[in-house]
Amino acid sequence: MNDRLPPTRPAFQVRARHTPSTLTVYQAYPPGIGVPAAREGRFPSTWKRDRMTWIKPSFLWMMYRCGWGAKEGQETVLAVEISRAGFVWALRNACLSHYVPELHEDQQAWKRQLRQAPARVQWDPERDLRLDPLPYRSLQLGLAGEAATRYADEWIVGIEDVTALAGEIHAHVRAGEPERAAALLPEEPPYPLDEELLAHLRA
């Protein structure tokens, strides 16, 4: 199936829809949060700032996570445009979500860093149009504490409800029309980052 993704990529690479000053990440929420967020361009008061929130630059990984918007509590799919400066701040202050001997002094040091870090990074297999895993990874970025507050109050440039787009792409996939589905996917070229910024985050 042609999903517009090449068969090989660097194992750990950030790919995202982006402009010179922003990039787009995806989240899915129940309509009570997602609809007003898209309407107002910011999260409503019911959005919990004291919980970790995960943002995903990959549209197809979000589709895997929310089941094309069919999973309970994830019926509204949002494209959240955030500042590049905010994204870089999160990466610079993030800790890997799991222990890697080559990157951490020991497990205790990693646990201390994880507790203190306002953001955490997880690399999961990227997905194709059938939501099957691909042999390279997609970044998931968890935001808590200061990072979650900055995300909600400072980094967001705009929020778009893309639930209908998700449904349209999924309909083409179900109908056996991969080319038509792929043509609707958001473009997610490699996102330019300094090598040192990801050095402490490669699993």
Side-chain angles (χ1 to χ4, degrees):
M1 178 180 289
N2 175 19
D3 60 7
R4 294 197 310 170
L5 295 173
T8 59
R9 294 261 196 173
F12 304 102
Q13 179 188 59
V14 178
R15 298 170 301 277
R17 176 182 165 192
H18 60 270
T19 73
S21 60
T22 67
L23 81 157
T24 297
V25 296
Y26 298 93
Q27 295 192 288
Y29 288 100
I33 292 178
V35 171
R39 183 177 62 241
E40 304 296 333
R42 60 180 297 157
F43 289 111
S45 59
T46 51
W47 189 80
K48 302 296 185 183
R49 293 168 179 265
D50 58 348
R51 295 178 58 184
M52 178 164 287
T53 188
W54 288 87
I55 58 177
K56 304 158 183 66
S58 167
F59 179 85
L60 283 174
W61 205 94
M62 184 71 256
M63 295 306 99
Y64 168 72
R65 180 69 180 83
C66 72
W68 298 98
K71 290 186 180 179
E72 184 177 358
Q74 301 185 60
E75 300 91 347
T76 306
V77 184
L78 301 178
V80 184
E81 191 177 12
I82 64 173
S83 71
R84 283 180 132 182
F87 183 69
V88 167
W89 183 94
L91 291 179
R92 199 174 296 280
N93 290 277
C95 176
L96 267 178
S97 61
H98 65 279
Y99 170 65
V100 177
E102 295 80 8
L103 296 177
H104 305 112
E105 181 182 349
D106 54 39
Q107 286 203 4
Q108 291 305 312
W110 164 71
K111 288 179 180 178
R112 285 194 301 271
Q113 184 182 355
L114 191 66
R115 285 195 299 268
Q116 296 167 1
R120 62 183 59 178
V121 160
Q122 183 171 305
W123 297 93
D124 295 299
E126 183 59 283
R127 301 285 159 167
D128 63 16
L129 275 169
R130 292 166 296 194
L131 306 185
D132 292 330
L134 291 166
Y136 45 89
R137 301 277 169 162
S138 178
L139 177 85
Q140 323 303 323
L141 183 58
L143 308 174
E146 181 183 1
T149 298
R150 284 174 177 254
Y151 171 62
D153 295 340
E154 301 175 16
W155 303 346
I156 293 177
V157 175
I159 302 178
E160 180 185 1
D161 186 338
V162 293
T163 309
L165 174 63
E168 186 178 1
I169 295 173
H170 190 205
H172 286 308
V173 173
R174 292 198 314 269
E177 301 168 341
E179 291 80 10
R180 296 182 70 178
L184 296 173
L185 287 174
E187 294 284 350
E188 293 171 359
Y191 181 77
L193 288 169
D194 291 337
E195 183 68 20
E196 58 85 19
L197 195 59
L198 290 180
H200 69 296
L201 296 172
R202 286 199 172 95

